[in-house]
Amino acid sequence: MDGLVTNIALIAGVGGGGVTSHTLVLTGVAGLVAGAISMGLGEYTSVRSQNEQVRAEVAKERRELERHPEAEARELADAWVRRGLPRDLATKVADAMRDNPREALRMHVQEEMGVDPEDHPSPWAAALLSFVFFSVGAVVPLLPYLLGLSNLWAALGAGGAGLFLAGALVARFTQRSWWVSGLRQLVLGAAAAAATYGIGTLIGVSTS
């Protein structure tokens, strides 16, 4: 969706300025490459930073368990009591967990941070997927030009069809109607394209 909206809006803005088809395609390809690299690097940095933060918090929690096992067991029991577990049962389970340091660490991290300390997503996989999916979305509005058509509205139409299809596919994972989801994405993308087209038209007119 990011690739679709970004390049549709970019092409609409440049096209609104009255540039040639060659310039428009060059701009669209540059936007595709720059956006895909930016998304990939951003996702890599985000996931890597998240993993490093989780490792630091896990190390901190491990030290706390080693230094204050009784207090940490009470803290875990208190968390379970707040969830509705009887105090005596929560205390027994927490005490039993204390004798298994690895499992105790995993449970504490899950309760306090909501993550599994042994599950670290790959920043490289996240970067590659972001790069690929952004590129796939960004190439859609360029397809008419790549197929020999030199018409801005054909490009925007292809982009709109891509937006609607992407929104309809997202509906498969929700309870929203496929056409409502598709229409919502189409409207949002069209709003972005309309804004950049208007800006492109104004700049193109003022500098002509």
Tab-separated table of all heavy atoms in Angstrom, residues 111-142:
chain	number	residue	atom	x	y	z
A	111	GLU	N	5.192	-11.377	30.692
A	111	GLU	CA	4.228	-10.637	31.508
A	111	GLU	C	4.499	-9.137	31.493
A	111	GLU	O	3.575	-8.334	31.444
A	111	GLU	CB	4.285	-11.149	32.956
A	111	GLU	CG	3.648	-12.512	33.161
A	111	GLU	CD	2.140	-12.468	33.002
A	111	GLU	OE1	1.549	-11.390	33.181
A	111	GLU	OE2	1.541	-13.518	32.697
A	112	GLU	N	5.783	-8.752	31.546
A	112	GLU	CA	6.128	-7.345	31.692
A	112	GLU	C	6.303	-6.625	30.362
A	112	GLU	O	6.071	-5.419	30.267
A	112	GLU	CB	7.418	-7.221	32.516
A	112	GLU	CG	7.259	-7.738	33.947
A	112	GLU	CD	8.555	-7.666	34.732
A	112	GLU	OE1	9.466	-6.934	34.317
A	112	GLU	OE2	8.656	-8.349	35.773
A	113	MET	N	6.724	-7.365	29.323
A	113	MET	CA	7.014	-6.722	28.039
A	113	MET	C	6.111	-7.201	26.915
A	113	MET	O	6.044	-6.583	25.855
A	113	MET	CB	8.477	-6.952	27.655
A	113	MET	CG	9.478	-6.395	28.651
A	113	MET	SD	11.169	-6.846	28.198
A	113	MET	CE	11.273	-6.139	26.557
A	114	GLY	N	5.436	-8.327	27.124
A	114	GLY	CA	4.565	-8.854	26.090
A	114	GLY	C	5.286	-9.462	24.914
A	114	GLY	O	4.734	-9.513	23.811
A	115	VAL	N	6.540	-9.921	25.124
A	115	VAL	CA	7.302	-10.527	24.028
A	115	VAL	C	7.902	-11.841	24.501
A	115	VAL	O	8.042	-12.097	25.709
A	115	VAL	CB	8.434	-9.595	23.538
A	115	VAL	CG1	7.869	-8.304	22.974
A	115	VAL	CG2	9.433	-9.312	24.655
A	116	ASP	N	8.289	-12.677	23.542
A	116	ASP	CA	8.983	-13.925	23.836
A	116	ASP	C	10.478	-13.658	23.724
A	116	ASP	O	10.967	-13.271	22.643
A	116	ASP	CB	8.572	-15.006	22.835
A	116	ASP	CG	9.148	-16.374	23.184
A	116	ASP	OD1	10.149	-16.430	23.918
A	116	ASP	OD2	8.597	-17.387	22.705
A	117	PRO	N	11.253	-13.818	24.810
A	117	PRO	CA	12.682	-13.485	24.768
A	117	PRO	C	13.478	-14.340	23.792
A	117	PRO	O	14.607	-13.986	23.438
A	117	PRO	CB	13.141	-13.730	26.214
A	117	PRO	CG	12.155	-14.690	26.768
A	117	PRO	CD	10.854	-14.345	26.114
A	118	GLU	N	12.933	-15.464	23.362
A	118	GLU	CA	13.648	-16.339	22.440
A	118	GLU	C	13.191	-16.161	20.993
A	118	GLU	O	13.662	-16.858	20.098
A	118	GLU	CB	13.470	-17.800	22.870
A	118	GLU	CG	14.040	-18.080	24.258
A	118	GLU	CD	13.813	-19.517	24.684
A	118	GLU	OE1	13.205	-20.283	23.908
A	118	GLU	OE2	14.258	-19.876	25.792
A	119	ASP	N	12.277	-15.246	20.765
A	119	ASP	CA	11.746	-15.030	19.426
A	119	ASP	C	12.165	-13.650	18.931
A	119	ASP	O	11.593	-12.634	19.320
A	119	ASP	CB	10.215	-15.142	19.440
A	119	ASP	CG	9.620	-14.962	18.052
A	119	ASP	OD1	10.355	-15.132	17.074
A	119	ASP	OD2	8.414	-14.662	17.961
A	120	HIS	N	13.195	-13.620	18.076
A	120	HIS	CA	13.703	-12.364	17.551
A	120	HIS	C	13.519	-12.344	16.035
A	120	HIS	O	14.166	-13.112	15.319
A	120	HIS	CB	15.194	-12.194	17.886
A	120	HIS	CG	15.488	-12.195	19.346
A	120	HIS	ND1	15.095	-11.174	20.182
A	120	HIS	CD2	16.120	-13.103	20.127
A	120	HIS	CE1	15.487	-11.445	21.415
A	120	HIS	NE2	16.108	-12.613	21.409
A	121	PRO	N	12.630	-11.498	15.525
A	121	PRO	CA	12.446	-11.421	14.069
A	121	PRO	C	13.724	-10.977	13.379
A	121	PRO	O	14.521	-10.214	13.937
A	121	PRO	CB	11.325	-10.387	13.918
A	121	PRO	CG	11.348	-9.600	15.180
A	121	PRO	CD	11.781	-10.542	16.255
A	122	SER	N	13.926	-11.458	12.175
A	122	SER	CA	15.131	-11.129	11.411
A	122	SER	C	15.011	-9.741	10.791
A	122	SER	O	14.093	-9.497	10.008
A	122	SER	CB	15.358	-12.170	10.313
A	122	SER	OG	16.355	-11.730	9.410
A	123	PRO	N	15.941	-8.831	11.091
A	123	PRO	CA	15.890	-7.512	10.458
A	123	PRO	C	16.143	-7.586	8.952
A	123	PRO	O	15.606	-6.785	8.190
A	123	PRO	CB	16.987	-6.725	11.179
A	123	PRO	CG	17.885	-7.746	11.768
A	123	PRO	CD	17.031	-8.933	12.077
A	124	TRP	N	16.945	-8.576	8.524
A	124	TRP	CA	17.212	-8.727	7.092
A	124	TRP	C	15.956	-9.177	6.345
A	124	TRP	O	15.672	-8.683	5.246
A	124	TRP	CB	18.351	-9.723	6.866
A	124	TRP	CG	19.695	-9.189	7.255
A	124	TRP	CD1	20.439	-9.536	8.347
A	124	TRP	CD2	20.449	-8.185	6.570
A	124	TRP	NE1	21.601	-8.811	8.392
A	124	TRP	CE2	21.641	-7.975	7.310
A	124	TRP	CE3	20.231	-7.426	5.414
A	124	TRP	CZ2	22.606	-7.049	6.918
A	124	TRP	CZ3	21.201	-6.508	5.020
A	124	TRP	CH2	22.370	-6.334	5.764
A	125	ALA	N	15.222	-10.109	6.929
A	125	ALA	CA	13.981	-10.572	6.301
A	125	ALA	C	12.972	-9.436	6.236
A	125	ALA	O	12.284	-9.246	5.219
A	125	ALA	CB	13.405	-11.755	7.067
A	126	ALA	N	12.867	-8.668	7.315
A	126	ALA	CA	11.929	-7.536	7.339
A	126	ALA	C	12.302	-6.506	6.282
A	126	ALA	O	11.441	-5.962	5.589
A	126	ALA	CB	11.917	-6.892	8.723
A	127	ALA	N	13.613	-6.228	6.151
A	127	ALA	CA	14.071	-5.254	5.163
A	127	ALA	C	13.777	-5.729	3.745
A	127	ALA	O	13.306	-4.960	2.898
A	127	ALA	CB	15.574	-5.007	5.329
A	128	LEU	N	14.057	-7.014	3.476
A	128	LEU	CA	13.836	-7.544	2.133
A	128	LEU	C	12.357	-7.528	1.764
A	128	LEU	O	11.981	-7.138	0.647
A	128	LEU	CB	14.377	-8.975	2.049
A	128	LEU	CG	14.199	-9.681	0.691
A	128	LEU	CD1	14.914	-8.905	-0.401
A	128	LEU	CD2	14.703	-11.116	0.765
A	129	LEU	N	11.499	-7.928	2.695
A	129	LEU	CA	10.067	-7.940	2.416
A	129	LEU	C	9.538	-6.523	2.168
A	129	LEU	O	8.731	-6.296	1.270
A	129	LEU	CB	9.315	-8.591	3.577
A	129	LEU	CG	9.454	-10.109	3.698
A	129	LEU	CD1	8.813	-10.597	4.988
A	129	LEU	CD2	8.828	-10.806	2.500
A	130	SER	N	9.996	-5.566	2.972
A	130	SER	CA	9.563	-4.177	2.776
A	130	SER	C	10.011	-3.664	1.414
A	130	SER	O	9.248	-2.999	0.706
A	130	SER	CB	10.129	-3.284	3.883
A	130	SER	OG	9.557	-3.616	5.129
A	131	PHE	N	11.249	-3.979	1.053
A	131	PHE	CA	11.787	-3.553	-0.239
A	131	PHE	C	10.959	-4.128	-1.389
A	131	PHE	O	10.557	-3.404	-2.314
A	131	PHE	CB	13.245	-3.993	-0.364
A	131	PHE	CG	13.911	-3.572	-1.647
A	131	PHE	CD1	14.633	-2.398	-1.703
A	131	PHE	CD2	13.816	-4.357	-2.789
A	131	PHE	CE1	15.250	-2.000	-2.889
A	131	PHE	CE2	14.423	-3.965	-3.973
A	131	PHE	CZ	15.142	-2.784	-4.027
A	132	VAL	N	10.691	-5.433	-1.321
A	132	VAL	CA	9.975	-6.109	-2.405
A	132	VAL	C	8.541	-5.620	-2.524
A	132	VAL	O	8.064	-5.273	-3.613
A	132	VAL	CB	10.009	-7.637	-2.207
A	132	VAL	CG1	9.065	-8.339	-3.180
A	132	VAL	CG2	11.434	-8.159	-2.384
A	133	PHE	N	7.828	-5.559	-1.398
A	133	PHE	CA	6.420	-5.188	-1.451
A	133	PHE	C	6.229	-3.722	-1.839
A	133	PHE	O	5.277	-3.381	-2.539
A	133	PHE	CB	5.722	-5.500	-0.131
A	133	PHE	CG	5.418	-6.960	0.050
A	133	PHE	CD1	5.972	-7.681	1.091
A	133	PHE	CD2	4.588	-7.613	-0.838
A	133	PHE	CE1	5.698	-9.026	1.242
A	133	PHE	CE2	4.303	-8.961	-0.695
A	133	PHE	CZ	4.861	-9.672	0.347
A	134	PHE	N	7.124	-2.854	-1.380
A	134	PHE	CA	7.037	-1.456	-1.808
A	134	PHE	C	7.240	-1.372	-3.318
A	134	PHE	O	6.516	-0.650	-4.016
A	134	PHE	CB	8.081	-0.605	-1.085
A	134	PHE	CG	7.977	0.863	-1.389
A	134	PHE	CD1	7.282	1.712	-0.544
A	134	PHE	CD2	8.560	1.403	-2.535
A	134	PHE	CE1	7.166	3.069	-0.823
A	134	PHE	CE2	8.452	2.752	-2.824
A	134	PHE	CZ	7.760	3.589	-1.970
A	135	SER	N	8.230	-2.109	-3.822
A	135	SER	CA	8.519	-2.084	-5.258
A	135	SER	C	7.335	-2.583	-6.076
A	135	SER	O	6.996	-2.012	-7.119
A	135	SER	CB	9.759	-2.935	-5.555
A	135	SER	OG	10.898	-2.439	-4.879
A	136	VAL	N	6.698	-3.657	-5.602
A	136	VAL	CA	5.546	-4.209	-6.321
A	136	VAL	C	4.423	-3.187	-6.392
A	136	VAL	O	3.815	-2.977	-7.453
A	136	VAL	CB	5.060	-5.506	-5.646
A	136	VAL	CG1	3.724	-5.953	-6.228
A	136	VAL	CG2	6.092	-6.613	-5.814
A	137	GLY	N	4.148	-2.525	-5.291
A	137	GLY	CA	3.094	-1.511	-5.289
A	137	GLY	C	3.454	-0.313	-6.146
A	137	GLY	O	2.626	0.210	-6.895
A	138	ALA	N	4.718	0.111	-6.085
A	138	ALA	CA	5.129	1.319	-6.793
A	138	ALA	C	5.172	1.133	-8.306
A	138	ALA	O	5.047	2.106	-9.061
A	138	ALA	CB	6.499	1.775	-6.292
A	139	VAL	N	5.356	-0.098	-8.771
A	139	VAL	CA	5.449	-0.315	-10.210
A	139	VAL	C	4.071	-0.313	-10.884
A	139	VAL	O	3.969	-0.098	-12.103
A	139	VAL	CB	6.191	-1.648	-10.515
A	139	VAL	CG1	5.263	-2.845	-10.354
A	139	VAL	CG2	6.795	-1.629	-11.917
A	140	VAL	N	3.003	-0.518	-10.113
A	140	VAL	CA	1.660	-0.624	-10.701
A	140	VAL	C	1.265	0.609	-11.513
A	140	VAL	O	0.847	0.490	-12.673
A	140	VAL	CB	0.612	-0.934	-9.604
A	140	VAL	CG1	-0.806	-0.820	-10.173
A	140	VAL	CG2	0.845	-2.327	-9.044
A	141	PRO	N	1.380	1.843	-10.960
A	141	PRO	CA	0.982	3.003	-11.775
A	141	PRO	C	1.919	3.274	-12.950
A	141	PRO	O	1.575	4.058	-13.840
A	141	PRO	CB	1.007	4.165	-10.767
A	141	PRO	CG	1.923	3.702	-9.688
A	141	PRO	CD	1.737	2.227	-9.590
A	142	LEU	N	3.087	2.631	-12.977
A	142	LEU	CA	4.015	2.800	-14.097
A	142	LEU	C	3.728	1.832	-15.241
A	142	LEU	O	4.244	2.015	-16.350
A	142	LEU	CB	5.458	2.596	-13.625
A	142	LEU	CG	6.067	3.685	-12.743
A	142	LEU	CD1	7.427	3.247	-12.228
A	142	LEU	CD2	6.181	4.992	-13.525
